[in-house]
Amino acid sequence: MLENPYVFKIQRYSIHDGPGIRTTLFFQGCPLSCHWCHNPESQKKSLQTDAEDMDRVAADLMEEIERDLIFYDESGGGVTFSGGEPLCQPKLLFKLLDLCRKKEIHTCLDTSGYTDVKILLKAAEKVDLILYDIKLIDETAHQEYTGESGCLVLDNLKQLSNQRANIRLRFPLIPQMTDTDENIGRIMVFLKENTIYRDIHILPLHKAGEAKYNFLNMKNHMEDIQPPSKERVLNVKEQFESRGFGVAIGG
Amino acid sequence: MNSRIKSLRKKTRQKEVTVSHERAELVTAFFKTYVSMDESIPVQRALCLKHVLENKKIFIDDNELIVGERGPEPKAVPTYPEICLHSLEDLEILNSRPKVPYKVSEETKAIYKEKIIPFWKGKTIREKIFAAMEDQWIDSFNAGIFTEFQEQRSPGHTAGGELIYQKGFNDLKTDIGHCLGNINFFEDKEALEKQEILKSFDIAADALIAFAERHADELEHMAKDETDSKRKAELENMACVCRRVPARKPETFHEALQYYWFLHVGVITELNPWDAYNPGRFDQNLYPFYKKDIESGILTREEAKEMLCCFWIKFHNHPAPPKVGVTARESNTYVDFCLINLGGVTKDNQDGVNELTYLTLDVIEEMRLLQPSSMIQVSRKNPDRFIRRALKIIATGFGQPSVFNTDAIIQEMILHGKSVEDARKAGASGCVEAGVFGKECYILTGYFNLPKIFEITLYNGWDPRTEKQIGLKTGDPISFEIFDNFFDAYKKQLEHFVNIKIRGNNIIEQINARYMPVPLLSLVTEDCIKNAKDYNQGGARYNTSYIQGVGMGTITDCFSSLKYNVYDKQHISMKTMMEALEKDFEGNDILIHRLDQTPKYGNDDDYADEILKTVFKVFHGLVTKRPNAKGGVFRINLLSTTCHVYFGEITGALPDGRKKGVPVSEGISPVQGADRCGPTAVLKSVAKIDHLKTGGTLLNQKFLPDLFKEKKELQALVHLIRSYFKMDGHHVQFNVVAEETLRDAQKHPENHQDLIVRVAGYSDYFVDLTLALQEEIILRTAHTNF
């Protein structure tokens, strides 16, 4: 299988990262370090693609992406760029987005939104659907649980929304962290104030990535935290719905 | 499930499986005392069937709605001494083995000892077959190069078409009369033989009618004594049904089911043909009756469902005939492989999914019985909700129904030279084998061990296990300078063994044609009457003989490993490889690790998959279209049932890193655990086989229950299946189970008596499987949620 320092994993038959059957490319490197991250290996800083390497790497990745064309066509799927934070490597990402558009492959960008707004807006022009994480409104909590300020994330979301980008909001539901009535209430207020009336996809915490923390010798903040109960997930869904938002559970 | 069905279901599940001597005793008495040796063999066989059906015990269970048992009671399994004679030791093994036992009473043993064995010893088909085989065949058979299907059971697939829903046996007797009248005794040199064959058909028709009449008599008798007025009315109605069918064409849903069931029991009493007698395109055949009865108000949906449940119980009452020796090892199960076909296209090529299709799926889900097996045929024309409905049943983790590609089956049949009209009536029976139901004699002849021939090639034609030179001397592989030298040697060995197998098959087909005609089966298989020829003589419209290739995954990975490690990358020399194989990789973990890194089949990697294509092409080319003994041709299928375990046991260490004795890959699935890129990569690899050139391929996929959870997951699976079928994949089946569950079942079988898993082409209770098979299933890659 192909190996390069920019994309640390390619997952075929991804069915929770956008519509249909997808291939997800996980980019190396992320500016955040969310406590619930299930790809902690991606947090390490990535190498920037050098110009020379770019065409070869992009061609290799396209070959992998195109392998499952028949499944994309059948299911309305495509490719999802995830990570890590794909916008950490804008050159490679833009190149791939351009190639996919040329080949009529549906693209999703799974982003934290923590990036230079110019890069984000440029990506929005090239991509078919943005999966945008909305985690925490409270600045202190954002700092604590993701390692960085949340202002940029929220500002960027406003800008994207103004530009009428195709966005799907994703809300990771993490007990004790994002899953508080206060946070949920504030998210709804924020979205309303800024007239961001998008459907919200609730992503309940899952523990699939946990073993990696041990393996990487990293601190696992989730050790004692269990996924939210079914009842709680439905309750959160109802809270959003009662305020008029469309809600789905899962990707 | 109402109380009637609950109690019948409980009864059939709890009832112990026993060996019945009833049939053996009747058949022995018939040939010893009653038969006139002046009669021709076909007539003798028909009279024998008549004798059995006129004298066997009639069993009618409390509250059942469909009647007819092969044995004197449910799950009492007869034997077929004229085909394969069980020795007293065989009976003892059947009686006492811990898994899949068949209990044998002292009375049965005594009757076997005194009457059955003395009479049949030396006269069986099994003995005739082994006596007729040349030494090369025997050596190859003993080495485990191939198995032989006809050594214990009569040829099949046997599967019913639409004929019986259009004609009663009296109509068929009229047809026979016309054909008898048309025999040309002036010019046709086979005239006398044809006359005898037609006479045998006519006797067989009378035999089954008489069997039904005996049931009618008994039912009327029971009705007289019945005090419950509701049951009394049922018994009277059932008696009327048995008076009408099979003599006359069925008019109602009830009659159609009962007609089929009498025929089913008749065919599996006449002899023990492979895969029992398949009811064919179940929903297509039965829907007109269902619709008519519902519309005229004589049947409700609930009544139809209850009748179907009763029908299901009849299949479950009939475990497979007990096998012995190698055949027992290749398929040791109570399942007799009747495969209910649902969906697909109608005769006029429209969406065939109807109300009865969904009703039958409800029955499959509620009954949750090992028998009958079930499958859905999926055509482009069928709606997604039909597939989702089936997936919801699969999600419950019992391996049924399996999923077939109608559009591929139709193309396969047309490529075989069948008419478009007949191709649309085709389906799959047994595990995955495609045929035109009711019009084709398509027999399986034996599994063929592709990896073992690789081993024989490594040893220059020598089999290390039986210590015999059974193959050709194609050269010491250490002397081969390029990969192609090795591949050419393999091709020569393969051709050598294919020739041995085909020569043997043609003799065996002639033995069955001469000594073991099947008049009843012939009567209902088109065009046997018209041709005045028995099913076993080539009387059917189409006649195909199959050799089933086993171990496509293992053989591909073996070639890939040699090519990659020895020739392309030159990591190790052939000599070192041979030494490691001879020592079964003992103490050579580094080499095993290296072999593990070799390109492997199942990962959408062309390095391996190109080899797969070449192996397929060679095997296909050596077998396909060679003439069989019935005027038809040979073709290949790719499936293994459980034979990959037996074939693994007798095969030494191989260059893909597989150790001696470990099962080879099953069906066309990748080597257990070798596929690491998810289900889409597996499907793409597997689709590189030219499925349309086969008569069936078997792909197993194991998924963790997470991937069958919600509508989104199910819809993704629908797309996965549709994509595979776009690529002309023939079939896929799913195991939805977590490894922990299987491990726990090994440790605490008492807690998992009900755990059903997909084996290969059928489902079985996990705790009933051999340890080797349990391990093999656990080792298969499980696709997980991400």
Side-chain angles (χ1 to χ4, degrees):
Chain A
M1 192 51 71
L2 119 159
E3 276 181 31
N4 68 54
Y6 319 110
V7 170
F8 72 91
K9 188 170 77 176
I10 295 177
Q11 185 69 66
R12 293 163 75 173
Y13 197 64
S14 284
I15 57 172
H16 296 111
D17 290 315
I21 295 175
R22 314 190 69 83
T23 295
T24 301
L25 269 59
F26 294 90
F27 279 61
Q28 183 63 48
C30 186
L32 305 184
S33 47
C34 303
H35 283 193
W36 54 85
C37 180
H38 53 259
N39 286 323
E41 69 271 44
S42 70
Q43 290 173 13
K44 205 172 54 181
K45 276 259 168 332
S46 69
L47 292 169
Q48 281 302 311
T49 334
D50 58 49
E52 238 173 82
D53 224 12
M54 175 82 107
D55 286 346
R56 183 189 60 81
V57 171
D60 281 356
L61 290 170
M62 282 310 290
E63 195 182 315
E64 286 299 311
I65 290 168
E66 286 175 62
R67 283 179 181 278
D68 279 355
L69 273 183
I70 191 163
F71 300 95
Y72 310 155
D73 287 355
E74 181 62 38
S75 66
V79 60
T80 296
F81 300 102
S82 182
E85 171 55 67
L87 291 170
C88 283
Q89 299 191 52
K91 278 191 225 155
L92 178 60
L93 178 69
F94 292 163
K95 175 102 191 166
L96 290 170
L97 287 173
D98 289 341
L99 287 169
C100 286
R101 184 148 287 177
K102 206 167 145 194
K103 299 203 165 178
E104 298 181 34
I105 297 170
H106 182 271
T107 53
C108 278
L109 170 64
D110 176 15
T111 179
S112 66
Y114 190 86
T115 185
D116 181 336
V117 70
K118 275 186 250 153
I119 292 178
L120 183 64
L121 294 179
K122 192 169 171 195
E125 285 169 17
K126 295 175 182 290
V127 75
D128 294 312
L129 174 64
I130 299 180
L131 311 175
Y132 199 98
D133 259 22
I134 181 153
K135 300 181 178 98
L136 291 150
I137 304 293
D138 184 78
E139 176 61 13
T140 324
H142 203 281
Q143 285 272 1
E144 184 183 347
Y145 296 127
T146 74
E148 298 293 338
S149 157
C151 299
L152 181 60
V153 174
L154 298 177
D155 280 345
N156 280 348
L157 177 56
K158 285 188 237 170
Q159 297 252 26
L160 264 190
S161 179
N162 291 339
Q163 212 192 35
R164 298 184 180 279
N166 191 12
I167 313 169
R168 175 187 286 184
L169 292 172
R170 307 221 289 182
F171 172 48
L173 191 67
I174 315 297
Q176 300 168 35
M177 297 179 190
T178 67
D179 182 11
T180 63
D181 287 339
E182 194 216 333
N183 186 42
I184 292 165
R186 286 181 68 179
I187 287 177
M188 288 190 283
V189 170
F190 171 82
L191 295 175
K192 287 219 152 195
E193 275 176 357
N194 294 288
T195 62
I196 304 172
Y197 303 134
R198 310 292 168 130
D199 284 357
I200 294 171
H201 287 242
I202 301 174
L203 308 182
L205 168 71
H206 67 80
K207 314 272 278 180
E210 234 170 38
K212 294 179 186 171
Y213 282 88
N214 259 333
F215 183 71
L216 294 165
N217 217 355
M218 287 168 73
K219 180 170 168 50
N220 175 14
H221 297 278
M222 293 290 112
E223 213 159 349
D224 300 322
I225 298 182
Q226 292 312 309
S229 67
K230 257 193 189 153
E231 294 75 45
R232 176 59 187 166
V233 175
L234 287 177
N235 173 269
V236 173
K237 181 171 184 262
E238 278 161 21
Q239 286 191 45
F240 279 109
E241 278 170 348
S242 68
R243 300 289 290 270
F245 290 97
V247 187
I249 295 168
Chain B
M1 205 183 293
N2 64 27
S3 60
R4 179 206 308 266
I5 302 304
K6 257 188 205 146
S7 93
L8 285 169
R9 182 176 182 276
K10 192 170 166 197
K11 220 154 126 185
T12 189
R13 289 199 54 200
Q14 288 178 347
K15 185 109 180 52
E16 201 173 56
V17 180
T18 55
V19 170
S20 158
H21 57 259
E22 183 188 53
R23 182 187 180 280
E25 207 178 10
L26 285 168
V27 169
T28 306
F30 175 79
F31 280 100
K32 218 169 164 178
T33 316
Y34 301 110
V35 75
S36 159
M37 288 304 162
D38 297 338
E39 301 285 7
S40 64
I41 288 179
V43 169
Q44 285 181 27
R45 291 300 314 171
L47 289 171
C48 173
L49 174 69
K50 192 153 177 270
H51 180 72
V52 174
L53 293 181
E54 282 176 351
N55 291 286
K56 76 174 292 301
K57 186 172 182 297
I58 298 294
F59 178 91
I60 292 162
D61 212 345
D62 295 343
N63 283 320
E64 67 176 355
L65 296 172
I66 305 290
V67 295
E69 286 290 330
R70 175 180 53 178
E73 59 174 1
K75 294 177 98 170
V77 187
T79 54
Y80 304 79
E82 64 268 56
I83 300 287
C84 166
L85 180 62
H86 289 81
S87 67
L88 291 176
E89 298 81 71
D90 291 334
L91 294 178
E92 195 39 56
I93 291 171
L94 287 169
N95 184 47
S96 58
R97 68 186 180 199
K99 291 188 176 184
V100 197
Y102 288 70
K103 292 294 166 189
V104 187
S105 70
E106 289 308 314
E107 187 197 0
T108 298
K109 283 182 207 165
I111 288 172
Y112 248 79
K113 190 176 170 195
E114 284 151 27
K115 296 186 186 169
I116 316 291
I117 294 173
F119 182 78
W120 287 105
K121 207 163 171 43
K123 298 193 187 85
T124 67
I125 289 290
R126 188 165 198 246
E127 287 157 299
K128 283 190 177 73
I129 286 174
F130 283 116
M133 294 299 107
E134 54 178 352
D135 291 346
Q136 278 189 320
W137 188 96
I138 298 286
D139 288 343
S140 308
F141 179 80
N142 289 338
I145 301 283
F146 49 71
T147 65
E148 174 47 57
F149 260 50
Q150 267 60 252
E151 51 114 16
Q152 288 178 34
R153 293 189 73 167
S154 177
H157 291 268
T158 55
E162 62 205 327
L163 178 70
I164 65 162
Y165 305 100
Q166 298 161 350
K167 287 186 175 185
F169 272 29
N170 284 337
D171 302 317
L172 295 177
K173 280 170 67 73
T174 309
D175 293 347
I176 292 168
H178 285 311
C179 288
L180 271 170
N182 288 338
I183 293 177
N184 184 342
F185 281 91
F186 295 98
E187 286 168 15
D188 188 345
K189 61 180 190 303
E190 290 171 353
L192 183 62
E193 202 180 331
K194 285 182 177 172
Q195 177 180 274
E196 292 305 305
I197 292 285
L198 289 170
K199 259 163 70 183
S200 77
F201 294 177
D202 195 61
I203 296 165
D206 288 338
L208 198 71
I209 293 171
F211 186 55
E213 295 278 0
R214 290 183 66 212
H215 282 83
D217 293 345
E218 179 67 21
L219 286 160
E220 278 168 7
H221 184 74
M222 287 168 75
K224 264 189 207 131
D225 297 343
E226 180 60 57
T227 50
D228 180 276
S229 62
K230 188 173 165 253
R231 181 62 181 162
K232 192 184 182 76
E234 274 175 11
L235 290 167
E236 282 164 357
N237 180 40
M238 286 156 72
C240 287
V241 169
C242 296
R243 291 268 178 243
R244 287 188 52 85
V245 292
R248 278 176 276 186
K249 147 184 182 336
E251 297 293 342
T252 64
F253 186 66
H254 188 168
E255 285 180 10
L257 285 175
Q258 183 64 63
Y259 185 161
Y260 169 76
W261 187 252
F262 277 137
L263 180 58
H264 181 96
V265 172
V267 169
I268 64 174
T269 300
E270 179 173 54
L271 280 178
N272 59 353
W274 272 103
D275 299 343
Y277 184 63
N278 201 66
R281 299 286 300 280
F282 189 74
D283 54 348
Q284 304 308 306
N285 291 336
L286 271 297
Y287 183 59
F289 297 96
Y290 173 83
K291 189 164 175 269
K292 193 175 118 198
D293 288 3
I294 294 272
E295 279 169 4
S296 68
I298 62 164
L299 182 78
T300 65
R301 193 176 177 280
E302 279 314 303
E303 285 167 349
K305 190 175 166 192
E306 187 181 39
M307 225 176 280
L308 286 174
C309 289
C310 286
F311 187 68
W312 247 241
I313 283 162
K314 297 310 279 187
F315 283 96
H316 196 264
N317 281 350
H318 290 78
K323 299 153 197 152
V324 300
V326 165
T327 304
R329 280 158 88 189
E330 75 187 24
S331 93
N332 193 24
T333 171
Y334 293 134
V335 174
D336 208 10
F337 298 96
C338 258
L339 184 59
I340 302 286
N341 280 231
L342 297 174
V345 294
T346 61
K347 279 186 269 200
D348 49 358
N349 204 24
Q350 304 299 306
D351 172 15
V353 173
N354 58 48
E355 214 184 307
L356 184 61
T357 315
Y358 288 109
L359 185 66
T360 312
L361 285 168
D362 291 347
V363 169
I364 290 166
E365 185 170 43
E366 274 183 41
M367 296 305 280
R368 204 178 166 86
L369 291 172
L370 290 188
Q371 292 208 84
S373 293
S374 58
M375 66 90 123
I376 57 165
Q377 283 201 25
V378 174
S379 145
R380 288 186 301 263
K381 296 182 179 177
N382 299 139
D384 281 2
R385 55 190 55 67
F386 165 54
I387 310 176
R388 279 199 301 271
R389 176 69 190 96
L391 285 169
K392 281 182 193 158
I393 304 175
I394 297 169
T396 65
F398 105 112
Q400 288 192 36
S402 51
V403 186
F404 285 78
N405 182 357
T406 301
D407 308 309
I409 289 176
I410 292 174
Q411 290 183 78
E412 287 159 18
M413 295 295 106
I414 291 171
L415 280 171
H416 292 187
K418 289 153 188 161
S419 75
V420 176
E421 290 73 23
D422 285 346
R424 287 176 187 151
K425 293 171 189 162
S429 52
C431 293
V432 295
E433 302 85 299
V436 178
F437 296 148
K439 298 177 176 65
E440 181 172 14
C441 165
Y442 55 118
I443 66 167
L444 298 192
T445 69
Y447 296 109
F448 201 76
N449 194 344
L450 297 167
K452 179 77 191 178
I453 297 170
F454 188 98
E455 187 193 14
I456 300 289
T457 313
L458 284 173
Y459 293 96
N460 196 7
W462 174 260
D463 177 30
R465 190 182 65 93
T466 57
E467 298 184 337
K468 269 193 178 166
Q469 181 73 27
I470 62 167
L472 303 171
K473 290 215 164 188
T474 44
D476 181 348
I478 293 174
S479 68
F480 294 157
E481 279 170 16
I482 55 169
F483 173 74
D484 288 352
N485 293 152
F486 187 87
F487 198 85
D488 288 342
Y490 180 79
K491 275 200 284 198
K492 283 180 198 144
Q493 300 285 5
L494 190 61
E495 183 174 13
H496 170 72
F497 290 114
V498 164
N499 286 341
I500 293 173
K501 179 67 179 151
I502 286 185
R503 182 181 185 276
N505 285 343
N506 282 341
I507 294 170
I508 293 166
E509 285 186 16
Q510 291 175 60
I511 289 174
N512 274 308
R514 178 175 299 185
Y515 299 105
M516 220 30 86
V518 277
L520 180 62
L521 176 61
S522 306
L523 177 69
V524 290
T525 306
E526 295 172 77
D527 302 321
C528 290
I529 296 177
K530 200 169 94 187
N531 294 333
K533 254 189 182 178
D534 194 86
Y535 176 93
N536 280 346
Q537 293 174 331
R541 186 172 304 169
Y542 307 109
N543 292 280
T544 318
S545 306
Y546 282 100
I547 297 176
Q548 306 102 260
V550 173
M552 284 304 281
T554 300
I555 185 77
T556 301
D557 289 358
C558 286
F559 277 123
S560 175
S561 175
L562 271 197
K563 186 171 190 296
Y564 189 81
N565 296 303
V566 177
Y567 294 100
D568 287 1
K569 303 279 173 188
Q570 302 188 355
H571 290 315
I572 60 166
S573 68
M574 194 66 175
K575 188 161 173 285
T576 317
M577 176 69 92
M578 289 303 294
E579 283 164 8
L581 294 178
E582 275 159 35
K583 288 186 197 140
D584 199 19
F585 299 111
E586 212 179 289
N588 211 338
D589 292 348
I590 299 172
L591 178 59
I592 290 207
H593 179 74
R594 190 182 279 288
L595 299 179
D596 196 47
Q597 305 304 309
T598 305
K600 287 177 193 290
Y601 168 59
N603 297 295
D604 193 12
D605 179 340
D606 278 332
Y607 189 94
D609 297 348
E610 284 299 321
I611 293 171
L612 168 92
K613 283 157 73 177
T614 313
V615 173
F616 175 84
K617 206 172 147 194
V618 171
F619 181 49
H620 174 266
L622 287 172
V623 175
T624 302
K625 290 195 181 166
R626 301 207 22 203
N628 66 14
K630 292 198 289 286
V633 295
F634 279 93
R635 295 190 179 279
I636 61 167
N637 274 329
L638 300 173
L639 70 142
S640 60
T641 315
T642 59
C643 199
H644 56 289
V645 177
Y646 162 62
F647 278 177
E649 275 169 26
I650 49 85
T651 305
L654 291 173
D656 66 335
R658 177 194 152 284
K659 290 190 178 177
K660 184 178 172 181
V662 172
V664 299
S665 62
E666 56 80 29
I668 52 167
S669 311
V671 168
Q672 297 77 358
D675 49 324
R676 291 157 195 172
C677 299
T680 58
V682 172
L683 296 182
K684 282 201 63 201
S685 273
V686 165
K688 290 172 197 172
I689 293 173
D690 197 343
H691 294 248
L692 301 181
K693 288 185 173 168
T694 73
T697 61
L698 190 148
L699 175 65
N700 250 308
Q701 288 282 278
K702 192 161 88 177
F703 280 80
L704 292 182
D706 260 6
L707 276 178
F708 272 75
K709 225 171 29 188
E710 309 276 350
K711 190 164 176 198
K712 172 153 178 133
E713 284 85 5
L714 293 181
Q715 191 55 36
L717 287 162
V718 169
H719 294 311
L720 195 69
I721 291 166
R722 294 265 196 211
S723 306
Y724 182 48
F725 288 178
K726 259 190 189 171
M727 295 186 278
D728 290 334
H730 174 86
H731 151 277
V732 58
Q733 60 190 20
F734 301 94
N735 249 322
V736 184
V737 64
E739 181 177 336
E740 306 88 77
T741 314
L742 299 178
R743 286 286 176 212
D744 194 60
Q746 285 185 317
K747 271 185 228 143
H748 308 288
E750 67 284 0
N751 298 339
H752 296 275
Q753 291 296 315
D754 287 346
L755 177 64
I756 298 175
V757 292
R758 194 72 185 169
V759 181
Y762 72 103
S763 296
D764 213 337
Y765 290 110
F766 185 73
V767 296
D768 276 353
L769 304 177
T770 60
L771 184 63
L773 195 52
Q774 289 181 348
E775 285 297 319
E776 189 267 318
I777 289 172
I778 290 172
L779 282 178
R780 292 176 195 169
T781 299
H783 298 304
T784 172
N785 202 355
F786 311 110

